[in-house]
Amino acid sequence: VESCVSELDAKQIAVKFLEQYHNNVLPREISFDEDTYLITLATGLVEKKTIQVRVDANTARIVGVNYPVNFAKTIDGIFELSDQIRYALIVNSKGLHVYSKMANGKTHLVRSESQITNLSSDLHILRQLLRMFDESLGNTTFTYFEREKIHVLVFYINDFMVCVSCERSLSHHQIIDIAGNIRKNLEKSINRH
């Protein structure tokens, strides 16, 4: 089945749509999947932003807008907050590993590769368990737990889970301060639109 909208038309629709809100809109890439075109565009003259617009190939309607996140930059920003942060991991809503990094000069406390691999799916399971109470208590936005060797902070931002481990020597007040700063950082980079 052929689509009613051509690639060129889809690009023009995406550009025209974004020009309502942004300057200097230029299409970069286009792909086709499940009856929609995904057009990646760059906007702005000085501060460049990448935006993805999804156009329905049959109706020519905009069906989605996405502001891709630079996960490496997000995690580097977290590490800049404190030298007591050990590790950061970003997991998507399906429990799949998106990006992770160990802070410079730190070593993994978990030695087993399978335990490291399972962390993403374990975080997904935890989120599913917490969702059982969403209707009565509201969505979970943050969890915190202590282990004998580390503090673990988990943030729930949009469709992502961000797990951050910190040195155990930190006091509860220091952890809360770090958690607040991490949340601000994540809201700027992941939840900005």
Side-chain angles (χ1 to χ4, degrees), residues 11-27:
K11 279 184 189 178
Q12 291 173 340
I13 291 165
V15 168
K16 189 172 183 175
F17 172 74
L18 286 183
E19 283 178 339
Q20 299 174 82
Y21 312 101
H22 301 278
N23 295 321
N24 198 35
V25 177
L26 299 169

Side-chain angles (χ1 to χ4, degrees), residues 18 38-41 50-54 64-68:
L18 286 183
L38 180 64
I39 304 99
T40 303
L41 306 105
T50 300
I51 303 173
Q52 294 175 323
V53 176
R54 193 171 289 278
V65 178
N66 182 28
Y67 294 80

